[in-house]
Amino acid sequence: MSTEGGAPRKDIIDYEGSRYRHEFWEDANRAYEDRVERVALRRLLPASGRRLLEVGAGYGRLTPEYQGFNQVVLLDYSLTHLQDAQRNLGRDRRFLYVAADVCQQPFCAGAFDATTTIRVLHHLPDVPGALAETARVLATGGVLVLEHASKRHLKSALRHALGLQDWSPYTLEPLEFVKLNFDFHPEYMRQQLAAVGFRIDRRLPVSWLRLGLLKNTLPTGLLVHTDSLLQHSGALWSPSVFVRATKENPPEISFALDDFLCCPRSGEKLRREGDSMVSVESGQHWAVRDGIYDFREPLT
Ligand SMILES: C[S@@+](CC[C@H](N)C(=O)[O-])C[C@H]1O[C@@H](n2cnc3c(N)ncnc32)[C@H](O)[C@@H]1O
């Protein structure tokens, strides 16, 4: 997903000047989605802490949930969203507003003890890069609460079974269904988090009842109550998944002599066989002569 000819994609969705706040939330029928997301966030986020970073904070919809933190940093690429947040939150010195790209955050390593990112990952072509940057700015032992859109939910499974969609909800690769709008398999997200040193503590399936028919006919309170019960099921078949993950100690780097050498072409880990390093996949060998690993040309 993130590469075109090897380099991560750098395109950023443009929310500048958008009426997202009004058109998507306040003038639309989304009280149910807003409330169930807050339920999940309260269940996963520590009640208090020193410095919290919200990545892709938008106009600050969720800032009331961060009361227990001494300082809250709102990062977003859209200046107009941050200006809107600033207007709502006033000049409260607890809040700091930063316009930047998720993948290039202007913070020192380990600056935060908590990070959230809600409804943002589905816009990112470089999720591994964004998670790596989030891991960098989070202190060891710090908590990340993220939300991601899922490709594996009841509706997509049913449509797939009936042959009504040409993609599978079960494969791990992200699905870009509209430019810069992705759905992710929960297992893909787990793998990406593990790769940058996160341990998953808990996952909550959220927004089960996101259907116009239900929202138009049943009381919002009833839908929210039902969703909050379903979140406890842990069954990851909903369109939205909340994850709480903890940044662990960096993985131990082994000091074995040469078990970190990989094939310069395929990236596959190499095996030592006598006086050569071997790629099992390609069958290629590289010589080890007098203590020098010679990767200029393969032997075979
Ligand atoms: C759907 S809105 C969600 C806003 C907020 N998290 C919420 O739930 O109300 C997505 C936000 O992510 C921001 N965003 C998208 N890509 C970004 C990037 N590469 N760096 C920083 N912010 C980004 C957008 O500007 C937008 O404000």
Side-chain angles (χ1 to χ4, degrees):
M1 117 190 233
S2 64
T3 55
E4 268 170 13
R9 267 174 66 182
K10 292 287 177 206
D11 35 351
I12 297 177
I13 194 159
D14 186 11
Y15 270 77
E16 201 64 18
S18 86
R19 289 183 40 80
Y20 170 71
R21 172 185 195 154
H22 301 285
E23 286 175 1
F24 193 84
W25 291 109
E26 293 178 356
D27 302 342
N29 182 11
R30 290 214 168 77
Y32 159 75
E33 286 88 340
D34 178 58
R35 285 174 59 183
V36 295
E37 288 176 15
R38 288 173 196 272
V39 169
L41 189 52
R42 281 176 207 153
R43 282 180 173 155
L44 298 181
L45 190 65
S48 61
R50 304 281 294 271
R51 186 185 291 129
L52 176 140
L53 167 68
E54 180 167 359
V55 172
Y59 66 89
R61 175 174 69 98
L62 296 168
T63 43
E65 307 303 327
Y66 309 139
Q67 297 288 350
F69 286 82
N70 297 342
Q71 191 180 24
V72 176
V73 177
L74 280 72
L75 177 142
D76 202 282
Y77 202 76
S78 160
L79 203 59
T80 51
H81 273 48
L82 290 175
Q83 287 163 341
D84 197 7
Q86 199 179 34
R87 264 193 303 278
N88 298 323
L89 297 166
R91 295 282 168 186
D92 186 336
R93 289 176 60 82
R94 242 172 28 95
F95 297 104
L96 196 79
Y97 306 90
V98 176
D101 178 8
V102 169
C103 292
Q104 285 183 305
Q105 300 179 25
F107 309 119
C108 298
F112 300 93
D113 52 359
T115 304
T116 61
T117 187
I118 319 289
R119 288 182 175 267
V120 178
L121 293 176
H122 70 280
H123 286 320
L124 303 184
D126 184 14
V127 165
L131 293 180
E133 188 62 345
T134 302
R136 184 185 69 77
V137 303
L138 198 58
T140 300
V143 167
L144 162 67
V145 177
L146 70 77
E147 181 275 345
H148 73 84
S150 176
K151 68 191 281 196
R152 195 191 67 172
H153 50 77
L154 294 180
K155 190 170 151 198
S156 64
L158 184 65
R159 287 178 58 85
H160 179 65
L162 297 174
L164 297 175
Q165 78 194 13
D166 57 6
W167 53 271
S168 165
Y170 306 112
T171 54
L172 294 197
E173 79 284 352
L175 171 76
E176 187 171 20
F177 56 94
V178 172
K179 189 165 190 292
L180 287 175
N181 281 270
F182 300 88
D183 284 340
F184 306 97
H185 195 288
E187 174 57 16
Y188 167 84
M189 204 52 81
R190 191 199 65 72
Q191 289 179 5
Q192 301 309 314
L193 285 164
V196 293
F198 282 107
R199 180 197 70 228
I200 291 188
D201 304 320
R202 198 172 171 203
R203 289 190 282 189
L204 298 177
V206 175
S207 233
W208 290 91
L209 310 171
R210 192 192 274 181
L211 289 172
L213 180 67
L214 294 177
K215 293 198 297 180
N216 291 332
T217 50
L218 296 174
T220 307
L222 176 65
L223 295 178
V224 172
H225 182 67
T226 309
D227 195 280
S228 79
L229 292 177
L230 288 169
Q231 289 181 16
H232 285 305
S233 73
L236 301 179
W237 288 92
S238 57
S240 166
V241 174
F242 272 65
V243 181
R244 176 189 153 122
T246 299
K247 183 179 160 183
E248 298 196 295
N249 288 325
E252 281 288 309
I253 294 181
S254 88
F255 287 98
L257 186 62
D258 55 17
D259 74 343
F260 58 92
L261 293 172
C262 285
C263 171
R265 294 192 186 147
S266 70
E268 170 210 352
K269 197 165 174 175
L270 298 177
R271 214 168 60 195
R272 175 83 185 237
E273 281 182 13
D275 284 341
S276 57
M277 300 302 294
V278 179
S279 159
V280 175
E281 228 166 75
S282 68
Q284 287 185 319
H285 291 227
W286 288 267
V288 185
R289 292 188 201 94
D290 300 327
I292 294 180
Y293 293 74
D294 189 353
F295 282 95
R296 293 173 300 174
E297 289 295 333
L299 292 170
T300 50

